[in-house]
Amino acid sequence: PVDPAPLVIETGKEKVRIKVEIADDSSERSRGLMFREEMASDHGMLFVFQMQQPLAFWMKNTVLPLDLVFIDGNGTVRAVLPGTPYSEAPISPGVPVQYVLELNQGTAARLGIRPGDKVRHPAIGKKSTVQ
């Protein structure tokens, strides 16, 4: 289900609102967007971890090409990386993060989402333990 609070990204140009599903437990994070064949252009999935840490994602069983937006414990975008459907190659920003936002591929570029942008949502910072 879509969270009632929109995720807001403060880009250099504007505030972008995205409807998100929250994956905040191990089962939800493990499943993610696997096997889904479509996602609305203004939707995404926000993965919430207990603490800031090195993270790597892969796209095994993921049909959709995705943008992975890696966000630190303070809500700052650290990297935006592409995800290739069905790939088992690790996708990692190379720095510790606490949140990952998955969007349809091309959405980050279209909306101007870049490293340094600020992300706001009630789930961000709620359980934050920045190391």
Side-chain angles (χ1 to χ4, degrees):
V2 173
D3 193 79
L7 180 137
V8 177
I9 303 174
E10 298 172 8
T11 71
K13 297 184 246 179
E14 61 186 323
K15 289 184 180 181
V16 174
R17 295 186 189 291
I18 298 171
K19 297 173 186 171
V20 292
E21 295 176 48
I22 305 294
D24 61 358
D25 67 34
S26 59
S27 174
E28 292 169 339
R29 288 190 300 258
S30 292
R31 182 155 175 87
L33 293 172
M34 289 193 307
F35 307 109
R36 293 210 195 162
E37 296 183 7
E38 59 183 29
M39 181 169 59
S41 63
D42 63 343
H43 282 64
M45 180 171 280
L46 179 66
F47 293 79
V48 178
F49 293 86
Q50 294 293 322
M51 59 192 301
Q52 189 162 287
Q53 60 192 301
L55 291 174
F57 275 49
W58 66 348
M59 301 289 291
K60 182 178 180 178
N61 298 321
T62 304
V63 178
L64 300 169
L66 299 172
D67 288 335
L68 285 81
V69 180
F70 292 89
I71 305 160
D72 70 18
N74 297 315
T76 302
V77 174
R78 298 301 307 266
V80 179
L81 300 171
T84 303
Y86 303 108
S87 173
E88 293 184 27
I91 305 164
S92 175
V95 297
V97 294
Q98 188 169 350
Y99 311 96
V100 180
L101 173 63
E102 290 185 342
L103 303 168
N104 286 313
Q105 196 164 76
T107 301
R110 179 175 52 82
L111 298 175
I113 300 168
R114 301 164 58 159
D117 289 348
K118 285 294 192 183
V119 182
R120 309 272 183 242
H121 185 273
I124 295 179
K126 183 169 89 174
K127 300 177 185 176
S128 182
T129 305
V130 179
Q131 289 188 338

